[in-house]
Structures are given as C-alpha cells and as structure tokens.
Amino acid sequence: MKKLQNYVTGQWLEGKGEGVPMFDAITGELVALSDTEGLDFAEILQYGRTKGGEVLRKMTFQERGNMLKSLALYLTKRKASFYELSYRTGATKVDSWIDIEGGFGNLFANASLRKLFPNQPYHVEGDAIDLSRGGRFMAHHIMVPKRGVAIHINAFNFPVWGMLEKCAVNWMAGVPAVVKPATNTSFLTEAVVREIIASGILPEGALQLITGSARTILDTVESQDVVTFTGSATTGRLLKSHKRIIDEAVPFTMEADSLNASILGEDAVPGTPEFDLFIKEVRNEMTVKCGQKCTAIRRIIVPQNLIDDVQAALGKALDKITIGDPRLKEVRMGALVSKDQVTEVRERVQELAKTASIVYGDLDKIETIGADAKKGAFLAPILLREDQPFSNIAVHETEAFGPVSTIMPYKNLDEAITLAQMGKGSLVSSIATYDDKIAKEYVVNAASHHGRILVVNRDMAKESTGHGSPLPYLVHGGPGRAGGGEEMGGMRGIKHYLQRTAIQGSPTTLTEITGIYQQNAKYKEAEQHPFKYHWEDIQPGMSMKTHNRTFTDTDIINFSNLTWDHFYAHTDITSLDGSIFEKRTAHGYFIISAAAGLFVYPNKGPVSANYGLEECRFLRPLYHNDTIYVRLTCKQKVDRDVASAEHPSGIVKWYAEIFDANNDEKVAFATVLTMVQKKQEVFVEMTEDKINACLSALKEDMKPKWGIMTPQHMVEHLEYTYKIASGEIQDFEIATPSTILDKVHNSLWNYDKFPKNSQFPQLEKDTLEPLKHPDLATAIEKFKAQREKYIAFFKENPEAKLKNLVFGELNKYESYLLERKHLNHHFEQFGLL
C-alpha cells in the first residue's frame, strides 16, 4: 500500500514503521499509510531555521509577496487534481472549493499586503518619537523576522486552507514553516506540498511537511520559533503547557473549536429578509463540510416567541439537504472525515440529548445517494432544542463537531447576550437584524467573548461571505475556549512572526537604519535636481534647497479668484480684529502650490506624475510680502505594482519643508508623493547601428539557444512582423482573447522579456514555414527595407493606430516598445546580444 512521504531536510522521505492507515470517507477504502518513524524532529527544525530562514530573511517584503503571488498562480493552474483527492475526505465540490481555492486565495491576499510594507526585509512601525527638546535624540520601532521556524499543527477539516492560511503569513514575514497536518486528511496536504516543492518558487527549507504523528516535535523548539495549533481545546491546552514552550517562552497561537452562536434579532420575524437569511445561514453552517468547521454555528439563539417558527423553518431547509457521494451534482452534503469521527459526534449528541430534545434528524437513520451509508462516514443533520439554556449548561460546554446545532430561546437582548457569553469564548458570532440599535447593543456587549461578529441584514446579504468564513484581512481567533490566539488579520498576522524592537539614536542614524528620512537628520545634497533621478537612484535623505519666492497682495487675490476660496483672512482685511491673522493672509493651498512651483523640475524626466499628499501642516500664517524657500528631501521609497499601460515605477515620498526666508523659521511642511519611473536596463536599444551590427554577426549556420528557427527563418519572421507594424498587412483578427487582451497589451510597457519558445499565432507549433527568400543575405536586405517602411509610416502618420496579432491596437510609441522587445528576444535567441 502507498505510504505518504514527508518532505524534510530537502528530501522526500518515508517513515520506517508500519504506518497508520487513512480511509476514504465515502467508501471506507484504504487510501494510504502515514508514517513518521525515524524522523529527527530536532534536525528538521534546525534545517528550517538555517536553510530556509537565511534566504527568506534577506528577501524584501516585495520579493516575498511576489513569491506568494507566483505560487498562487502556479497552484491555481493545477487545482483540478486536488479536487479528486478532496472528495475522498468526504467533502463536496463546494466544501473543496472553500478548502482548496480558499487556500490559494489566502496566498493572493497576503501577497497583496506587500504594498503596505517597505521595500526592505524588515518593517518600520509607527511614527518617530522625539526624546529630546532639541530634536537630536529620538526613537522608532522596527520589526525584523524571527530567526526561528513556524511550526503549524493543523486540524483535519481543512487540509489545504489550514496550511496555506498560516504559511502565507509566516512566509510574508520571512520565516520558514514546518507543517504537521492531521493524519486523517494529510494525503491531500501532501499532494499540494508536492506541487509547491516541484514549482521551485519557494527557497529550499521554507516549507517542510510531516504527514503523520509528531508527538515529540515540541521537545526542541526554541525561543525564536512560533507554534500555532488548530484543533480541540483539550489538545491545545495540553500542547500550550508543554515544558519546552514554557521554558523557552515560545509564542503559541491556539485556534480551538468553539461553541459559536448566532442570534436572531427580535425584529427579524418570519416574512422579513433577515429571518430568511438567518435560516439559510444556520443551514449552511450545519451542512457545509458536514458541520466540521471551527466556525460553525453550534448554538442558535432566538426570541422565545419565534422558537417554533425557527424550528419549523430550519426543518424545511434541512429537508432539502441530500447526502451521499460528493462527486454527484445532486448531493449537497458528503461525509464526516472518518467513522471514528462519526462515533465521536454521536457520543456528543447523546450527551446533549440528556437535557435537550432532538427535533430534527435521527442518529440511526440516514438516506444516501450514490454511496453505501454503512461503508462511509455518514451522519444526517441533527437539530436539538434546549428550552432551559440557563440551567442546562451542557449546550454551552459540549461540542458535537459535525452537522449538529441546538436551538434555544431568549426573552430579551440582554438574555441573548448572556447566552452567547456562556460559551466562554468563541471564534465568531453573528446576529440577524435590520435594527442597527439592536446590532450595536449586541456587538458592543458581546465583543469581549468573540473574535469576530457578523451582522446579517438585507443590505449586505448578496456580498456577504457568511458567518463561517474567516478572511485573510481579518483576525481569526477568539478568547477563552477559542484559544486566545489570533491568526491572519492582514498586517497584524504578519507581525506575529516579527520581533518588535525599539531603537534610539540621532535622526541621521535612525534615517540610515529605517530607510525613512527623520526630521532633523543631516541632508544629503543632491548633485542634480532630485526629479532627474530614476527610482533606483533616489535615496532617503537626498535633498535640495530651492530659490526664494515673495508673495504679493496680487498673488493672494488672484488665487482667491481662481479657486473661489474667499475666506475673509484672504479677501477682507477689515475683518481681522480678534482673529489670529495680522494682515492679508496667503491661502494654505497657495503656499503648497507656490512651494511646488519652486521645487518641481519642469522638463520631462523619470518623475511621471503627482501621486498625492499624505500630510500637510501650516505652522503659522504667511502674509503678503513674505518670502519663502523650500527644502525638498526624499523621505521614503515605496515599491508598487504596475499592470496598466505605464512603465515600471515606484512611489517616492518627498518631505517638503517651507521656510520663512527672513529668519529660516519653518512655517509649513507636507509629504508629497510622486510616481517615479524605474531604470530600463533589460533591453538593448534597437538603433539602426545596433541592428546592423547584430545582423552582420548573424551567420547561416548559427544554432538558436531555444526553439527550432534557423537564422533565415528568424529574419523572415521579423520582416513579416514589420509588414504588420507598417500597416501593409492588417487583414487579420486579433488572436488574443478579449478577456485578457488589455493585460497582454499592457505587458508591452513592462521590462519583462518575452518568454522563450513564445508561440506566434500564425505559425504552426514545432513546424518551420517554407523560406521565402533564396538566402540569408537577401532576407536581411528585405528585412531592412521593410523596417524603413515601418519608420516612414509612423513619420507620416504619428497619430495612427495599427492592429497587432497578439497585442491589439498599437500607437507609435507602443509599436516602438514591441519592436525593442521583439528584436531583443530574437537577437538574444541567436547569441547576438
């Protein structure tokens, strides 16, 4: 029988024992064996800390984010094979989509967070703090990657999402991971990890996988490691109290199953959209993943006068749930993960039924479609009713981790809040109400006991992700029984794997450490105007001082007339008595505009656009006849993604200080953002001399570095594309699908090379077209003549747009971009560049 392998210390290894069997939840058939016997967990953890950690820590947040994005795209293209395995865990297609594509989505979401971090390996948090009156001693906080490994001990219910929602966060922080999935479903986790490793996208050591028992893995954890656990509260508390965790003060995040509650507002009576939404939400949470969700609704808290209505409506909704083989379209609910889990859930239901009544479903009866109920781990949805929830507390303490929930009454909102709190902490609660006063009262008073609260109403229903859906940008965790931990949460989650350190020193020193210019730091005088530099060449602290400008009375009046800003301080000097103003006062925005006039470089250059203002302060009024100058200093650089029709660029934040020229007093300041182009250092410019030099070096017997073209085929191909570019050939349809045409078109503007072996639409794959010219020399002459026609066409028609087979309509400049990329591609193919 197949044994799952463990990916550790850079290799796939089988355990040396007999292995633990894993079974198909639908058919009961043996799927694989799990075995970790013989693995050295201390060696595995140390390998992650060194091999993977050293590489990840040196990467910038931008590089890590792009790595996650590439991995998400890679896995998405291979998702079909994962669905087949997911069905064997008992999951339906919808269940599998949540697990598989939800996991990939987590990679995408965390990848996008790179935009919120600096373009360096560590983060600078918050604002600088002045520790001295003179401004020469200050402090800041930086956050650097921990030098340990993230150890993820995951539950069985989400073998893909459970891994990726955690790993995405620690990878973004620059920390490697060792993943220990639950044995029951680890065969699906292993399949995904195999693809991740095969992709080569992650640095070696960034991910290790242990597919079976790892009882001693915590014995060698160190203070720089982080442990996360998802599973039962009992097991979580046991692991959290491990002597090594305590001795080394290892951060331990626990996300435990909890008795999540959903409340029906008193206004949400039958016939309202909120009542219907509530019923739908409860049914979904009972049946999606067979109720095997840490966020599923276990307690249904409803007004006592509506309990019968809710019970009847839920019964009708559950009647529509079909159970069986999850591969069948007509099946709405699959199986629990194993027969052991069925036994566990049945026992918990029997405990609850000592005081509560089973009002829907039967533990001993089940009808299945396309599957044998006796062979699979099937269980029908069970709805209980507890009429005395304040005295019968089992419903607040006992969780049946399956398609089970209990309905209970409340008299008023205070009672509903108390009942929700009696669960002693949960991951999520929800309330269905269209009364925002009820919503506020519940949220404010229940928030202390829940990690997340969803307010359900008709306005948000179509776009809501639902009660049970944790989201990458929100914290996932909860107090008390839920474990007291937090996962995900956007930047918050990433910071969990970073060490926050306060740093103190001079503004100049802290500028160098943080990569952000700090006030009162020494300026680095620019050798030329800062707007002449490309993004790569601008550094924090780079600065220039402008010449002076004097404000006149006419300037202020004209600005009022231009903007229609006729505030009395600018226009009515007879009304200044009792105000803070002494004379006609310059508008604040005129001061900023005048400052821009002083520091902006007028000629075309790398600075491509004004991106906005982040802060702006006016420290005292400026009057007519006052004279100012500006000190412009690079404060910070922020990388950015470019997907539209523009060249790669980054954002530069400029600290603009405005001074009174008479006494050098700072009177205003602003942080101005500009979009600055990056250098183009990938492609050789295709001048006529360069093209001639390349063609002169081209010989008939040259072999390509890739592809099957001969030198003459390459030249004739280029000649043909110049016929398209000059308008000589336009009787064709654009081959690129319209759904991606904009993306493909915009790629001309980036600095990425064409992929090797790119397929030209009109050429048959792996087949050479018949040659059109007698020899290479003739082909080169024809190529040059056709290029002259291309140049002449746009000289005579500078505003023209012509179709291209791949990139759609191109103007003159875009045709130049295509020519540069295309010639570089083929000249490099034959070693001419």
Side-chain angles (χ1 to χ4, degrees):
M1 184 59 196
K2 174 192 173 184
K3 258 191 184 182
L4 293 186
Q5 291 185 312
N6 307 277
Y7 186 74
V8 293
T9 62
Q11 54 193 325
W12 287 100
L13 296 177
E14 283 188 7
K16 298 177 181 178
E18 295 182 0
V20 176
M22 291 169 282
F23 299 98
D24 189 309
I26 304 301
T27 66
E29 296 171 347
L30 187 63
V31 176
L33 298 174
S34 168
D35 184 15
T36 58
E37 188 173 323
L39 296 186
D40 186 334
F41 295 124
E43 181 185 12
I44 292 168
L45 298 187
Q46 187 59 23
Y47 183 81
R49 295 181 194 116
T50 53
K51 185 69 173 180
E54 288 176 2
V55 177
L56 284 171
R57 287 192 295 270
K58 292 177 182 178
M59 296 172 69
T60 68
F61 282 101
Q62 314 306 318
E63 289 170 334
R64 295 176 201 145
N66 286 321
M67 175 183 74
L68 261 62
K69 183 178 179 181
S70 296
L71 183 59
L73 291 168
Y74 179 89
L75 291 175
T76 299
K77 293 176 181 177
R78 291 156 178 81
K79 64 185 179 183
S81 61
F82 304 139
Y83 274 85
E84 263 318 302
L85 283 176
S86 184
Y87 292 139
R88 306 196 78 176
T89 71
T92 65
K93 186 171 184 179
V94 170
D95 298 338
S96 301
W97 180 87
I98 295 170
D99 183 31
I100 296 168
E101 298 188 51
F104 303 164
N106 220 299
L107 291 174
F108 279 120
N110 278 279
S112 69
L113 294 175
R114 66 192 183 279
K115 303 169 188 175
L116 304 179
F117 287 94
N119 189 36
Q120 54 192 19
Y122 52 91
H123 179 52
V124 181
E125 185 182 52
D127 296 322
I129 303 164
D130 186 3
L131 301 176
S132 65
R133 292 184 178 181
R136 299 300 173 185
F137 180 52
M138 61 176 296
H140 221 313
H141 289 86
I142 63 170
M143 301 189 75
V144 301
K146 290 181 180 289
R147 289 180 172 260
V149 64
I151 303 159
H152 300 311
I153 304 170
N154 294 335
F156 64 78
N157 50 345
F158 289 102
V160 182
W161 183 87
M163 171 178 63
L164 295 180
E165 62 102 354
K166 295 177 180 178
C167 286
V169 179
N170 62 251
W171 288 331
M172 270 301 291
V175 175
V178 174
V179 175
K180 160 62 184 82
T183 301
N184 281 343
T185 55
S186 59
F187 56 87
L188 176 52
T189 312
E190 189 226 34
V192 176
V193 171
R194 281 193 178 276
E195 286 292 356
I196 292 174
I197 300 303
S199 75
I201 293 171
L202 296 181
E204 173 53 44
L207 174 63
Q208 297 182 86
L209 174 71
I210 299 168
T211 58
S213 175
R215 296 184 185 279
T216 60
I217 195 169
L218 299 185
D219 291 353
T220 57
V221 293
E222 298 178 355
S223 59
Q224 287 287 307
D225 297 330
V226 177
V227 177
T228 72
F229 168 80
T230 300
S232 74
T234 302
T235 304
R237 285 192 292 268
L238 181 66
L239 295 176
K240 194 173 184 178
S241 62
H242 191 286
K243 185 177 185 300
R244 187 74 176 182
I245 296 288
I246 295 169
D247 290 348
E248 291 283 317
V250 177
F252 188 101
T253 292
M254 186 165 92
E255 186 250 286
D257 306 329
S258 56
L259 292 160
N260 309 293
S262 188
I263 288 78
L264 181 67
E266 293 176 278
D267 62 308
V269 299
T272 64
E274 286 67 37
F275 183 89
D276 295 337
L277 291 168
F278 179 79
I279 298 299
K280 180 181 178 182
E281 204 70 48
V282 173
R283 181 201 65 191
N284 287 346
E285 292 304 311
M286 286 182 67
T287 57
V288 169
K289 292 289 289 187
C290 282
Q292 298 171 116
K293 292 171 61 182
C294 54
T295 54
I297 295 170
R298 304 299 178 197
R299 298 177 297 151
I300 310 163
I301 302 173
V302 302
Q304 62 180 4
N305 63 312
L306 299 179
I307 192 167
D308 291 332
D309 295 307
V310 171
Q311 180 180 317
L314 272 175
K316 290 180 180 178
L318 292 171
D319 283 340
K320 298 176 182 178
I321 299 299
T322 50
I323 304 168
D325 186 339
R327 297 172 182 82
L328 302 177
K329 291 182 180 180
E330 60 267 33
V331 169
R332 296 285 299 278
M333 190 174 92
L336 274 69
V337 71
S338 67
K339 287 195 171 185
D340 287 344
Q341 186 64 21
V342 173
T343 301
E344 169 77 14
V345 174
R346 286 170 61 90
E347 290 174 355
R348 297 291 84 78
V349 171
Q350 288 164 355
E351 289 179 27
L352 291 169
K354 290 177 181 178
T355 60
S357 304
I358 296 178
V359 294
Y360 183 91
D362 191 320
L363 289 174
D364 300 314
K365 292 182 180 179
I366 185 167
E367 294 182 4
T368 55
I369 300 173
D372 188 333
K374 294 180 180 179
K375 292 182 179 180
F378 294 101
L379 185 70
I382 301 293
L383 179 65
L384 297 100
R385 173 168 169 167
E386 176 56 79
D387 289 318
Q388 302 297 326
F390 286 97
S391 56
N392 297 328
I393 61 172
V395 71
H396 306 298
E397 296 181 345
T398 302
E399 180 182 26
F401 199 68
V404 181
S405 194
T406 304
I407 186 173
M408 63 195 74
Y410 72 84
K411 293 178 183 177
N412 53 51
L413 190 59
D414 285 341
E415 280 198 358
I417 293 167
T418 300
L419 288 171
Q421 293 171 343
M422 287 176 71
K424 297 182 180 179
S426 81
L427 297 173
V428 58
S429 179
S430 58
I431 181 169
T433 178
Y434 201 53
D435 186 326
D436 289 337
K437 291 182 179 179
I438 292 175
K440 179 181 178 180
E441 184 74 12
Y442 178 75
V443 168
V444 171
N445 289 286
S448 59
H449 286 62
H450 306 288
R452 176 169 58 90
I453 298 178
L454 170 70
V455 180
V456 179
N457 66 32
R458 68 196 72 175
D459 293 340
M460 50 73 78
K462 289 184 179 180
E463 297 180 6
S464 171
T465 51
H467 167 104
S469 299
L471 297 173
Y473 299 127
L474 306 181
V475 293
H476 180 46
R481 181 190 171 99
E486 290 185 352
E487 295 175 1
M488 301 192 295
M491 290 184 71
R492 299 175 188 85
I494 294 170
K495 289 179 179 181
H496 185 63
Y497 296 92
L498 301 173
Q499 174 60 47
R500 181 182 289 105
T501 302
I503 54 173
Q504 298 168 276
S506 72
T508 301
T509 299
L510 265 59
T511 292
E512 293 302 312
I513 293 173
T514 62
I516 301 173
Y517 175 77
Q518 309 293 341
Q519 289 191 48
N520 299 316
K522 294 177 182 177
Y523 301 120
K524 300 174 185 177
E525 295 292 345
E527 295 181 2
Q528 58 183 350
H529 195 290
F531 282 17
K532 288 185 176 181
Y533 291 97
H534 284 86
W535 190 79
E536 294 88 345
D537 294 331
I538 298 172
Q539 298 302 324
M542 179 182 283
S543 182
M544 66 165 279
K545 178 182 176 182
T546 71
H547 54 277
N548 295 350
R549 174 172 177 174
T550 300
F551 298 155
T552 68
D553 211 42
T554 303
D555 287 336
I556 299 170
I557 293 171
N558 286 343
F559 193 82
S560 291
N561 292 332
L562 179 66
T563 61
W564 294 8
D565 176 354
H566 297 293
F567 185 63
Y568 77 93
H570 314 309
T571 58
D572 184 6
I573 58 176
T574 64
S575 299
L576 299 181
D577 290 347
S579 72
I580 62 171
F581 306 107
E582 300 172 3
K583 296 183 282 185
R584 188 184 306 282
T585 307
H587 305 67
Y589 295 118
F590 172 58
I591 296 170
I592 294 297
S593 299
L598 290 171
F599 67 69
V600 167
Y601 184 68
N603 297 346
K604 185 177 181 180
V607 174
S608 56
N610 183 338
Y611 204 65
L613 290 174
E614 267 194 351
E615 60 179 346
C616 181
R617 295 289 185 276
F618 305 108
L619 306 179
R620 73 161 173 80
L622 286 172
Y623 305 115
H624 65 91
N625 296 327
D626 281 350
T627 301
I628 65 164
Y629 68 87
V630 179
R631 166 66 72 170
L632 184 73
T633 307
C634 172
K635 181 177 181 179
Q636 187 181 5
K637 294 165 60 180
V638 180
D639 209 347
R640 68 186 287 262
D641 294 329
V642 176
S644 56
E646 59 177 287
H647 290 304
S649 64
I651 302 302
V652 177
K653 298 182 180 182
W654 301 96
Y655 185 51
E657 301 169 278
I658 302 169
F659 294 90
D660 186 326
N662 295 319
N663 54 21
D664 293 327
E665 177 189 0
K666 188 187 297 186
V667 294
F669 64 87
T671 299
V672 181
L673 280 62
T674 60
M675 194 183 300
V676 182
Q677 284 186 17
K678 297 179 180 179
K679 287 181 179 178
Q680 193 295 104
E681 297 179 315
V682 176
F683 303 111
V684 176
E685 288 299 329
M686 287 292 107
T687 63
E688 187 170 346
D689 288 344
K690 188 64 182 178
I691 293 171
N692 288 336
C694 288
L695 293 175
S696 296
L698 186 64
K699 306 303 179 186
E700 191 76 59
D701 58 351
M702 282 183 169
K703 302 297 182 185
K705 294 181 178 181
W706 65 84
I708 61 173
M709 281 185 172
T710 67
Q712 186 171 338
H713 279 99
M714 182 267 286
V715 173
E716 290 189 6
H717 165 66
L718 292 176
E719 178 199 356
Y720 180 78
T721 58
Y722 274 121
K723 288 182 178 180
I724 294 174
S726 61
E728 191 172 315
I729 298 176
Q730 287 285 287
D731 56 340
F732 55 81
E733 296 295 326
I734 296 170
T736 303
S738 59
T739 52
I740 61 169
L741 182 58
D742 282 348
K743 182 178 179 180
V744 172
H745 174 273
N746 295 342
S747 71
L748 286 175
W749 293 74
N750 65 34
Y751 300 153
D752 298 334
K753 294 181 179 181
F754 285 159
K756 295 176 181 179
N757 296 308
S758 299
Q759 184 66 32
F760 189 68
Q762 291 185 341
L763 295 178
E764 190 174 342
K765 190 175 182 181
D766 300 327
T767 302
L768 287 173
E769 294 282 305
L771 292 171
K772 297 180 176 61
H773 304 303
D775 50 48
L776 177 60
T778 304
I780 290 174
E781 290 306 314
K782 295 290 185 182
F783 160 87
K784 291 180 178 179
Q786 194 61 49
R787 184 172 184 271
E788 288 297 325
K789 291 181 181 179
Y790 153 72
I791 294 170
F793 174 82
F794 277 109
K795 188 174 183 179
E796 296 171 7
N797 306 278
E799 304 299 321
K801 286 188 176 183
L802 294 174
K803 285 192 302 182
N804 178 273
L805 273 164
V806 176
F807 298 97
E809 287 194 345
L810 305 182
N811 59 27
K812 178 182 178 180
Y813 185 71
E814 289 165 338
S815 296
Y816 149 74
L817 294 177
L818 174 56
E819 179 193 31
R820 184 173 69 183
K821 278 197 175 192
H822 198 201
L823 293 185
N824 269 260
H825 174 78
H826 285 296
F827 287 173
E828 186 177 330
Q829 181 184 18
F830 283 89
L832 304 174
L833 292 177

